[in-house]
Amino acid sequence: MTSQQENQDPNLSPDSVPTQAERERYAELVDLVQKYRAAYYNEDAPLVSDAEFDLLYSELEKLEALHPELVTNDSPTQTVGGEASVAFAAVEHLARMYSLEDVFSLAELEAWLRRAAGSVEKQHGTAPQWLTELKIDGLAVNLLYRDGVLVRAATRGDGTTGEDITHNVATIKDIPQRLHGSNFPAEVEIRGEVFIASKDFAVLNEQMVAAGKAPFANPRNSAAGSLRQKDPAVTARRPLSMFVHGIGARQGLHTETQSGTYELLKSWGLPISPYYKVLDTLPEVMDFIASYGEHRHDLIHEIDGIVVKVDDLATQRELGHTSRVPRWSVAYKYPPEEVNTKLLDIQVQVGRTGRVTPFGIMEPVKVAGSEVSRATLHNQDVVKAKGVMIGDIVVLRKAGDVIPEIVGPVMALRELQDPPVREFIMPTHCPSCGTELAPAKEGDIDIRCPNAKSCPIQLTERVAHLAGRGGFDIEALGYEAAAALTTGPGPDPADNGGLIAPAGPGPMKSEAQVFDIAQLDLSGVVVWREVRSKGEGTGRFQQVPYFYTKPTAKKPSVPTKTTQKLFEELEKAKAAPLWRVLVALSIRHVGPTASRALATRYGTMAALRQALLAPDAREHLANVDGVGSIIADALIEWFAVDWHLEIVDAWAGAGVLMADAVDESTPRTLEGLTIVVTGTLPNFSRDEAKEAIITRGGKASGSVSKNTSYVVAGENAGTKLDKAESLGLKVLDEDGFVRLLAEGPEPELETETDMEEDA
């Protein structure tokens, strides 16, 4: 954030006298910002999302720019972070820990960089280099080393005084108790960020839920809470990591650049981020921001922005600081991925295997670039573990920029809700067909609708699934088309909260008919469409034909172009490889990986069905690489059901091939090898790469382990590549992968020890 003079809006007149309303709003903003800041820094329990806090803080800054006479020394804009907690001893930093100025648009960032560059050029005649790095979403920590030994660790606190967390930091394996090498400064403060890696956070929350505890809302809160445990043994059990990103007080230490300082810190055994670059131009900085914006969920840790610093330390000293931020560094914050919204209701949906899943219906809110009004809650145990109640203000985020997820309630706001919040009660009967719900097996957490054959919504889900990319890949048969074929239109969405509910069977009674859709009577199939006026929705809905055109006085109703395309795609799908047919059958646990393994082993549906009849079928199936006992049991159970076999027979009767042509020309070059493909390959899709491995006798795995034979790494390979390198595995680029497919592995060279043993 900027100083008052720098942050003035040119459209505001700083000479005007503040009105009473402005004074009252200013006092309200000061109270809110201080309250929310204390909750975030001192209690690790944020009351609002980062985006909402930023908006309030920005409004406060603008009021202060308009009316500087309102500003006092204890204004939130003149102070840093929170205060030291009374639960830990207060310690003073040798050098102040500053906050960073935040900007929220690329235009603001460009203006800041041009202003800073202009100041440097005026002084030195040359433009600065920019050290550009990721802004870690963690907890700022200050490490004090004397003669190379860690003597104290503290939180940032208010920038001058922090909390002594030395004993807890000593449990973090990334942080050396003694620096490597020799000739250290007599005294040096190392600044960095403590965080929990994304993959470790997922595992930690799974453990919390399994133990019957509420999961953490996000990695930042988890890391902060872990560092503030009174018992260091608790901290030691948390998967904390740290990257260092600067130096405070430095007695007898002289470096010339920020990047050079990083390399020095690395040589001392301190962990530095792998995600930084020194860049020369503004366009390079913008490219850096765009690249990590696209791949922010492929990283080791969560980020909320990019930090840009002048790399030259002498220039940093010349530019100096305002009362709270350096003039040589700025933080660009990506659009928010966590927001707050109201949980209006919790309803349930039934999946293709009968699993009943609660989902939240929320006041629509924009997150990660799109409007969201629904989010999954997985099962009734997760609803309890998250502690959410209908009517709560909840924290919402998008996992991987794709899947909306309710993180948890904002507890401090619960008592303020009107009407009061209420508990979610899991239904006892299927909302689609009315059948009593129950776990599929004793001990299962999930409950299911056992009426798989006749439940309308299960049929809808199965038809949509078989047409998906993992199944027959029928583009013209999306979810809406599947619903129209199987369930028909529900009540008017205007009377149903905007939701379309199933209301009786459509013309398709079973997925056995999917390749006979052209023979079904589709002319009367209708769906709900919102009436639009001048391109805008009106909130009113009407039923319109889905598969046929609307008849007019001059033209009768005929199949639409999309319907004609559907017929054509269904014909093409009959030649799909066997693994796609197996995926399309919606056999529990049988996804693309297991299906490919089964297709490679048996080659035809007839051979697989024959194998299932053998007395030792379970043992043989379980021994197929990529199958195992759970999938073997699922296959045996599925093929034992008469109406399931009717689907397979109907598809075969309609002309679905169900057999893979054996290509004797494809060499089995990868027999016994396990290969992981990660990142983007220019000439192979992920499915094509897996197919190439499996057809040559190899195993296409999704995880890296010491048993992995090769890792094929494309662009943006991420953590799998990091793990492969840490294990010393063989890593190939695309050219090496192509050679491996054609020639197999190179023979291992005999060592002198081998030859001596042979002798």
Side-chain angles (χ1 to χ4, degrees):
M1 315 227 176
T2 60
S3 66
Q4 299 307 313
Q5 191 64 32
E6 291 168 336
N7 195 46
Q8 283 187 12
D9 188 327
N11 297 316
L12 299 177
S13 171
D15 298 325
S16 60
V17 176
T19 65
Q20 184 60 30
E22 286 174 324
R23 290 180 183 277
E24 290 174 359
R25 179 56 177 164
Y26 178 76
E28 181 183 17
L29 286 169
V30 168
D31 288 344
L32 286 172
V33 169
Q34 288 175 338
K35 173 184 174 182
Y36 295 154
R37 178 183 274 177
Y40 182 87
Y41 285 105
N42 299 340
E43 301 167 24
D44 308 316
L47 299 177
V48 293
S49 67
D50 285 355
E52 289 173 283
F53 179 85
D54 290 339
L55 286 173
L56 290 171
Y57 194 96
S58 179
E59 185 183 352
L60 179 63
E61 283 193 309
K62 287 181 179 178
L63 261 177
E64 291 187 344
L66 180 61
H67 303 298
E69 65 270 34
L70 293 175
V71 184
T72 60
N73 288 336
D74 60 354
S75 165
T77 66
Q78 307 301 304
T79 58
V80 176
E83 298 175 348
S85 167
V86 296
F88 294 88
V91 293
E92 287 192 12
H93 307 307
L94 302 184
R96 183 174 179 181
M97 293 182 73
Y98 285 86
S99 185
L100 286 176
E101 178 179 348
D102 292 331
V103 295
F104 301 93
S105 71
L106 295 177
E108 285 181 276
L109 176 63
E110 182 174 351
W112 188 98
L113 292 171
R114 291 191 186 282
R115 186 169 63 246
S119 179
V120 174
E121 288 177 9
K122 185 176 179 180
Q123 186 77 15
H124 296 279
T126 58
Q129 288 187 303
W130 305 107
L131 184 142
T132 309
E133 60 189 4
L134 305 189
K135 188 173 186 295
I136 303 169
D137 196 12
L139 184 73
V141 170
N142 188 37
L143 308 176
L144 176 61
Y145 285 87
R146 290 196 179 111
D147 297 319
V149 177
L150 179 65
V151 296
R152 191 174 71 204
T155 63
R156 183 173 64 179
D158 65 2
T160 300
T161 304
E163 302 156 353
D164 190 334
I165 52 171
T166 307
H167 294 301
N168 290 350
V169 165
T171 68
I172 302 175
K173 63 180 184 302
D174 287 353
I175 301 175
Q177 300 300 300
R178 182 182 293 275
L179 299 178
H180 299 176
S182 58
N183 300 320
F184 308 114
E187 200 168 59
V188 62
E189 286 181 311
I190 308 296
R191 273 79 190 266
E193 206 82 10
V194 172
F195 62 91
I196 293 182
S198 300
K199 60 181 176 59
D200 293 334
F201 179 70
V203 172
L204 176 61
N205 263 357
E206 288 173 3
Q207 294 169 346
M208 296 290 284
V209 171
K213 300 177 181 178
F216 290 104
N218 53 55
R220 193 267 171 198
N221 285 8
S222 177
S226 299
L227 277 180
R228 289 193 170 102
Q229 293 293 323
K230 292 183 180 179
D231 182 0
V234 177
T235 305
R237 292 195 292 271
R238 302 281 170 80
L240 297 172
S241 300
M242 181 178 183
F243 285 149
V244 300
H245 53 57
I247 290 182
R250 57 188 85 189
Q251 184 178 329
L253 175 65
H254 302 285
T255 52
E256 295 183 354
T257 62
Q258 187 87 16
S259 54
T261 302
Y262 284 6
E263 293 306 312
L264 177 62
L265 296 177
K266 184 178 180 181
S267 73
W268 290 349
L270 289 158
I272 67 169
S273 171
Y275 309 118
Y276 81 89
K277 282 186 178 181
V278 177
L279 304 172
D280 295 318
T281 67
L282 190 149
E284 288 176 339
V285 173
M286 295 301 182
D287 287 345
F288 185 97
I289 290 171
S291 175
Y292 280 107
E294 292 174 4
H295 301 289
R296 59 189 296 185
H297 297 291
D298 302 330
L299 308 173
I300 295 170
H301 51 70
E302 292 290 327
I303 65 171
D304 62 358
I306 300 292
V307 176
V308 185
K309 302 174 180 176
V310 172
D311 190 40
D312 183 75
L313 295 182
T315 306
Q316 288 186 10
R317 289 190 289 272
E318 289 171 4
L319 292 171
H321 300 75
T322 70
S323 62
R324 56 180 302 278
V325 301
R327 290 191 175 94
W328 44 265
S329 184
V330 67
Y332 166 77
K333 300 191 79 170
Y334 287 113
E337 293 193 309
E338 281 195 357
V339 296
N340 289 358
T341 188
K342 186 161 189 171
L343 181 62
L344 302 174
D345 198 7
I346 298 177
Q347 298 187 5
V348 296
Q349 59 190 11
V350 184
R352 61 190 171 90
T353 60
R355 180 187 176 201
V356 181
T357 306
F359 67 95
I361 300 174
M362 299 155 297
E363 287 184 348
V365 63
K366 197 162 188 176
V367 56
S370 62
E371 189 171 82
V372 173
S373 59
R374 295 191 189 188
T376 181
L377 283 162
H378 302 292
N379 58 53
Q380 66 270 32
D381 286 0
V382 170
V383 177
K384 290 179 182 177
K386 287 180 181 287
V388 294
M389 301 184 77
I390 298 167
D392 266 330
I393 300 298
V394 295
V395 178
L396 177 72
R397 70 174 169 216
K398 272 194 176 180
D401 272 337
V402 177
I403 304 169
E405 175 190 6
I406 294 172
V407 179
V410 182
M411 293 298 297
L413 301 179
R414 175 170 284 175
E415 299 301 323
L416 305 178
Q417 300 312 303
D418 185 22
V421 300
R422 56 190 172 90
E423 186 179 356
F424 165 68
I425 309 280
M426 194 73 175
T428 57
H429 291 75
C430 176
S432 178
C433 66
T435 304
E436 187 173 0
L437 304 174
K441 294 179 181 177
E442 187 176 347
D444 279 1
I445 295 174
D446 297 327
I447 58 173
R448 297 177 183 271
C449 170
N451 182 25
K453 181 178 181 181
S454 304
C455 180
I457 193 62
Q458 287 189 61
L459 175 57
T460 298
E461 296 286 343
R462 292 199 300 269
V463 172
H465 170 75
L466 70 85
R469 291 181 62 183
F472 288 114
D473 196 14
I474 303 167
E475 185 180 342
L477 185 50
Y479 190 88
E480 189 177 36
L485 284 165
T486 56
T487 61
D492 188 333
D495 301 325
N496 194 37
L499 300 176
I500 300 176
M508 182 185 289
K509 312 302 181 189
S510 162
E511 61 264 51
Q513 299 172 281
V514 71
F515 289 98
D516 298 319
I517 286 177
Q519 280 73 56
L520 298 176
D521 181 8
L522 305 179
S523 60
V525 176
V526 295
V527 295
W528 288 106
R529 287 277 188 271
E530 187 173 13
V531 178
R532 305 186 73 80
S533 176
K534 297 181 180 178
E536 298 293 328
T538 63
R540 293 181 292 107
F541 294 81
Q542 63 181 358
Q543 291 186 11
V544 298
Y546 187 82
F547 294 102
Y548 274 63
T549 61
K550 197 172 183 178
T552 65
K554 296 182 178 180
K555 291 184 179 180
S557 179
V558 295
T560 66
K561 290 182 179 179
T562 302
T563 303
Q564 293 288 2
K565 183 180 180 183
L566 170 60
F567 297 158
E568 294 167 6
E569 288 184 352
L570 284 166
E571 285 302 311
K572 292 177 184 176
K574 292 177 181 178
L578 178 60
W579 73 266
R580 288 189 176 275
V581 178
L582 292 170
V583 171
L585 290 172
S586 285
I587 304 169
R588 195 176 175 193
H589 305 304
V590 180
T593 300
S595 295
R596 283 190 176 91
L598 290 165
T600 300
R601 172 64 181 82
Y602 295 104
T604 69
M605 182 67 75
L608 174 60
R609 291 177 68 172
Q610 188 64 35
L612 286 163
L613 298 175
D616 53 357
R618 185 180 187 276
E619 180 182 352
H620 276 285
L621 285 165
N623 286 331
V624 175
D625 196 13
V627 177
S629 58
I630 292 175
I631 294 175
D633 288 339
L635 283 161
I636 292 169
E637 290 172 10
W638 194 91
F639 278 93
V641 178
D642 289 344
W643 69 269
H644 290 166
L645 297 179
E646 290 172 4
I647 297 169
V648 178
D649 292 338
W651 289 1
V656 178
L657 192 58
M658 297 198 185
D660 291 339
V662 179
D663 185 359
E664 300 292 348
S665 66
T666 302
R668 306 282 286 182
T669 51
L670 307 184
E671 288 282 5
L673 300 182
T674 299
I675 299 169
V676 174
V677 178
T678 180
T680 303
L681 300 178
N683 298 305
F684 290 85
S685 68
R686 191 61 60 89
D687 284 343
E688 288 169 343
K690 286 183 178 179
E691 192 78 23
I693 294 165
I694 293 170
T695 55
R696 288 162 177 80
K699 177 183 177 181
S701 176
S703 59
V704 175
S705 72
K706 63 182 181 181
N707 297 319
T708 302
S709 309
Y710 292 91
V711 172
V712 180
E715 274 195 54
N716 306 309
T719 55
K720 291 181 184 178
L721 176 58
D722 296 337
K723 185 171 183 180
E725 291 173 341
S726 70
L727 293 173
L729 302 177
K730 297 173 183 175
V731 178
L732 305 176
D733 59 12
E734 184 174 308
D735 291 340
F737 179 47
V738 171
R739 284 196 299 275
L740 181 68
L741 294 174
E743 303 168 10
E746 293 182 3
E748 297 286 343
L749 294 176
E750 281 192 317
T751 65
E752 290 184 9
T753 303
D754 293 333
M755 290 187 282
E756 287 172 4
E757 289 176 352
D758 290 342

